Structure formats: structure tokens, C-alpha cells
Amino acid sequence: MLHLCLAVIPSRSRFDALQPRLCQLPSDHDGKHSEFPFLKHLLKSHPAVAKKIVRDSIMTTGAAWKSEEAGPNRILRWVMLLPDETLLEYGINMNNLKPQVVAKLRDKAATYEECIQVAKRLTWTAYQMPGSPEPDAFTKDYLEDHFSTMIPGSTSCLICLEPLPFTLFSGAARGKAAIETGHMNPRHHDATNVGFVHRECNIAQGNKTLQEFYDWIAAILERANKI
Amino acid sequence: MLHLCLAVIPSRSRFDALQPRLCQLPSDHDGKHSEFPFLKHLLKSHPAVAKKIVRDSIMTTGAAWKSEEAGPNRILRWVMLLPDETLLEYGINMNNLKPQVVAKLRDKAATYEECIQVAKRLTWTAYQMPGSPEPDAFTKDYLEDHFSTMIPGSTSCLICLEPLPFTLFSGAARGKAAIETGHMNPRHHDATNVGFVHRECNIAQGNKTLQEFYDWIAAILERANKI
């Protein structure tokens, strides 16, 4: 099991005083600290995919949250763990938001450690998609040490269980990415619970757990088959 | 079978020159012409529901189409049958819109007659929802003449086939109505193809036909059950 450096990386965001960002390189590394060394290789060949993995891992989503009333559009997930009073000091007034927006933001909350683990897991998953690039030796070893041996081409959509081709990252339907990050339980953002999914599958699952979704569609089919 | 008045109702919109709005009262009616006489009763007791029926019947939907670039937010469905050149004369430049926005707008197009029939059908359906108000004699006769005898409490969600309580019209989840107008085939807006649906069911169906949706979820379940 790899020992990580975990040195504090100098501040980049106003929230770093609350939760420092940590170096994820092996403890015996040379050179500069790095928070996402497992994405360095992908960032070169497929920058949009690497950036999406970082974004989905550490930021809340915020569809249509563009007005001030609607709340921050995207915010660091661990910031959403802070109490209202602390957020107010950072200029985020949760009392100004509709209760359902607050609930949605709070649902997306996760610790820094959970977010980093999700980023690693998604990267490991991406490299196992049909048609994915091959990881370099460092990345392969690093990710396999964290999880298990990669099986090229083995990644399926977490929801519909169909193979999920890497090329879908670049495909776009109606201006939106065809692949999204999904959650078996939409209210838990951790590495055991995430995976890539088709956009249409993610939309269909909504805020149900995967089991609730399967139960729901089974009940629909049962009623539909009676007719 | 009822004979309708179908007199032209004096202009209210700049598009009326292209497609006049017609009186839907019986041909032997007294008093003023009316386009939605079958909604008069519901408009008194549940104005939001009556207005929703009119809106969903005659207007395109336009989620998140708020920027000029994104196209008209809501527009009369029959206007979307007009060629680009005619629309340009009315200040709508289809060439300025993204192809997928144009496709979406064109998908929602329907004739005036289809829209009016949809409004009648939805009203007939609403009065058969569990917990719906009782129609007055005029409305009941009018709608039953158009379709068939109403069976109180018999309306189910077109998609999941669960009973659809009238009270869901006033319930709101996350600021949005829990009931939407659904289509068995999302690209055909006519009375044989529409019904009320749960918002979550409508979202899950997406742009699939109902049969495609059932086939899709059956395949998902088949794969899920193998694991």
C-alpha cells in the first residue's frame, strides 16, 4: 500500500484555510507537490476529460442555479459541510436560498478525502472504458494500488450496465456531455458509490438510489405488461 | 356529435393573421364567442390548472431557453409549422439558433386544430383524476361528446400507470409542478397521444416514445438481474 506525501499545497482558494489541499504523490516523490498526479497523464491526452473528473469530484453541481437567489452555481463539496454561520463569513448566505436549493447543496456535500478518493476512482474507471487511452506506468501502478487491477474495456454505465465507450466523453447531445458522473446513492459522494453513466440514464435515475430506480422501473413494467 | 360555432375570434396576437383563433362553443350558442368554453368551469375553481392546460396545449415548452441565442422561450405551436422565411418576417430568426434548438422547437410544432383537441382531451382527463372537481353539466356533456363517458378517478399517469391525484397539480417539488403533460410519442402533439404524467416519469421518458421507454427499462432490468 502506497504511502502518500499529503503535504499541504500552498493556498489557491479562499476556502483553503478551512481545508488545506494535500499532495497525493507517493511520500518518496521528487519535485513539486501535486494534488492530482493520477490525472497528469490524462490531462495531456484528454484535458477535457481530466478536468471533468476533477470538477465532478470536488464541486457540487448546480443545474440552472445561475441567479443569485438560486445559490452558488458550483462550490467545493467540503464547503457545503460548513455550518450556515461559517458560510456567512465567506459571503454565502444560506438563509437567502430556497429550502430545496439548500437541501440540494447539502446533499452534494462530501469531505475533502472523499472527493479525492472519488477523483481517483473515476480516473481508474475512465481508463477501463472501451476505447480509452492506456495509462502510463506511474498512473497504472498508482491507481491499481488504490483499487484493483484494471481490466481494459470493462467499464459499463453504472445504471443501465451497457458498455460505456470513452468516445462518449467528446460526443455531445444537444450541447451537453453524453457522459456524467453517477451515484448509486445520489446522496453519498464517495469512491464506493460513484461511476460514469449515460446522461439519459442519470436523468432517469433522478434522486433515487439505484435500487429504488430498479424497483421503480420493475413496478412500471409490471403495470404496463398487464395492459 | 356537437356542431361547433368556429367563428373567428377577433385578433389578440400578431400571429392571428396566419392562423385565426376559433370559437369552440356549440353552433347554437348565445352570447360571446369563446375559444376554451370547456375550461370556463375549471378556470373558476382551479385557475392554475386551467391555465396550465391552455399553456401546455398551445405553447411549445422551452426549458432553460432564456437567452436570445437559445430561441423563443415559449411560442405558439402552430407558429413552429411556418417556414423560416415567414418566421423571419415576425422577428424570429431560426438561423440564429443552434440546430438542436431548432429541432426541439420544430418537434413541438402542431396545428391549431391539434392543439385545441389536446386542450379538450387534457380537460377531459383532468376531470377523471382521483380527487378532481366535478364538471358542471355543460362541461361534462361537451367533453363526453368529444370523447367518451368520464369515469371519475380513473386517470393514471400515462407513463408509470399509477393513479394521478388531482392534488398533485398544487403540490410542487423543488419549485416545479409535480404533474406535466406527457406524450406517448414526444414528437406528436395530438389528442390521441397526450395525457398527464408525473414530472419524474416525464423526465425519465425523455425523448423516447413510451414503447421505446418500456423496452429500454426492460433491457436495463434484464442486465441488472443477471448481476
Side-chain angles (χ1 to χ4, degrees):
Chain A
M1 186 69 184
L2 213 56
H3 279 267
L4 299 178
C5 167
L6 302 182
V8 172
I9 297 179
S11 180
R12 294 173 297 181
S13 135
R14 60 189 174 135
F15 296 113
D16 286 1
L18 294 159
Q19 168 63 63
R21 312 284 287 256
L22 307 178
C23 174
Q24 302 294 326
L25 279 164
S27 53
D28 59 355
H29 76 90
D30 293 325
K32 277 170 51 172
H33 295 307
S34 169
E35 194 178 18
F36 298 104
F38 49 93
L39 276 169
K40 194 178 169 186
H41 175 257
L42 196 62
L43 194 61
K44 265 186 215 152
S45 64
H46 298 84
V49 179
K51 283 173 192 166
K52 177 181 172 53
I53 289 175
V54 171
R55 197 170 57 235
D56 288 359
S57 300
I58 71 172
M59 308 296 279
T60 65
T61 46
W65 296 358
K66 285 191 180 149
S67 72
E68 209 174 311
E69 209 282 315
N73 190 21
R74 277 181 178 269
I75 194 160
L76 293 164
R77 287 178 186 266
W78 52 89
V79 168
M80 277 300 110
L81 293 172
L82 300 171
D84 285 8
E85 310 83 72
T86 313
L87 289 171
L88 200 54
E89 291 166 25
Y90 285 85
I92 300 168
N93 189 345
M94 298 298 273
N95 290 323
N96 273 355
L97 307 179
K98 287 186 193 161
Q100 59 268 40
V101 174
V102 172
K104 203 169 167 179
L105 283 168
R106 294 300 194 181
D107 267 1
K108 306 284 179 191
T111 65
Y112 176 72
E113 175 63 18
E114 284 169 333
C115 292
I116 292 295
Q117 288 302 113
V118 165
K120 292 173 182 176
R121 179 81 187 195
L122 289 178
T123 309
W124 179 77
T125 302
Y127 277 120
Q128 296 176 79
M129 288 164 80
S132 81
E134 251 187 83
D136 64 2
F138 167 81
T139 307
K140 186 172 190 295
D141 290 350
Y142 186 98
L143 293 171
E144 292 191 341
D145 181 82
H146 275 75
F147 303 106
S148 60
T149 305
M150 297 195 216
I151 304 167
S154 65
T155 295
S156 292
C157 168
L158 201 64
I159 298 165
C160 79
L161 308 169
E162 289 252 73
L164 204 57
F166 190 85
T167 50
L168 283 187
F169 276 122
S170 54
R174 307 205 170 213
K176 296 189 176 156
I179 291 190
E180 297 184 347
T181 297
H183 295 78
M184 286 194 274
N185 180 336
R187 283 159 297 283
H188 291 157
H189 186 67
D190 65 58
T192 63
N193 189 48
V194 297
F196 288 116
V197 296
H198 295 104
R199 182 176 152 73
E200 67 171 341
C201 295
N202 207 24
I203 288 173
Q205 183 191 347
N207 64 0
K208 297 179 180 70
T209 67
L210 199 51
Q211 190 56 55
E212 285 166 353
F213 175 68
Y214 290 150
D215 292 346
W216 180 62
I217 62 177
I220 291 176
L221 280 180
E222 205 176 316
R223 285 188 294 274
N225 288 332
K226 270 188 203 151
I227 295 173
Chain B
M1 185 74 182
L2 214 55
H3 278 266
L4 299 178
C5 167
L6 302 181
V8 171
I9 298 180
S11 181
R12 292 174 298 181
S13 136
R14 59 190 174 134
F15 296 113
D16 285 1
L18 293 159
Q19 168 62 63
R21 312 283 290 254
L22 307 178
C23 175
Q24 303 294 327
L25 278 164
S27 52
D28 59 356
H29 76 90
D30 294 324
K32 276 171 48 170
H33 296 307
S34 167
E35 194 178 19
F36 299 103
F38 48 93
L39 275 168
K40 194 177 170 187
H41 175 256
L42 196 60
L43 194 61
K44 265 188 213 150
S45 64
H46 298 84
V49 178
K51 284 173 192 166
K52 177 182 172 53
I53 289 174
V54 171
R55 198 169 57 235
D56 289 359
S57 300
I58 72 171
M59 308 296 279
T60 66
T61 47
W65 296 356
K66 286 191 180 150
S67 72
E68 208 173 311
E69 208 283 317
N73 192 21
R74 277 179 178 271
I75 193 157
L76 292 165
R77 288 178 185 266
W78 52 90
V79 168
M80 278 300 111
L81 294 172
L82 300 171
D84 286 9
E85 311 83 70
T86 312
L87 288 172
L88 200 54
E89 291 167 25
Y90 284 86
I92 299 169
N93 189 344
M94 298 299 272
N95 290 323
N96 273 356
L97 307 179
K98 290 186 190 159
Q100 61 268 38
V101 174
V102 172
K104 204 170 167 179
L105 282 167
R106 294 298 194 183
D107 267 359
K108 308 283 179 192
T111 65
Y112 176 72
E113 176 63 18
E114 284 169 333
C115 293
I116 293 295
Q117 288 302 113
V118 165
K120 292 174 182 175
R121 178 82 187 194
L122 289 178
T123 309
W124 178 76
T125 303
Y127 277 120
Q128 296 176 80
M129 289 164 79
S132 81
E134 252 188 83
D136 63 3
F138 167 82
T139 307
K140 185 172 188 295
D141 290 348
Y142 186 97
L143 294 172
E144 292 190 341
D145 181 81
H146 275 75
F147 303 106
S148 60
T149 306
M150 297 197 218
I151 306 167
S154 65
T155 295
S156 292
C157 168
L158 200 64
I159 300 165
C160 80
L161 309 170
E162 289 251 71
L164 205 56
F166 190 86
T167 50
L168 283 187
F169 275 122
S170 53
R174 305 205 168 214
K176 299 193 175 148
I179 291 189
E180 297 183 347
T181 297
H183 295 78
M184 286 194 275
N185 180 337
R187 283 159 297 281
H188 291 158
H189 186 68
D190 65 58
T192 63
N193 189 46
V194 297
F196 287 115
V197 296
H198 295 105
R199 181 175 153 73
E200 67 171 341
C201 294
N202 207 24
I203 288 172
Q205 183 191 346
N207 63 1
K208 298 178 179 70
T209 68
L210 199 51
Q211 190 55 55
E212 286 166 351
F213 175 68
Y214 290 151
D215 292 346
W216 180 62
I217 63 176
I220 291 176
L221 280 180
E222 205 177 315
R223 285 188 294 273
N225 287 334
K226 271 191 200 149
I227 294 176

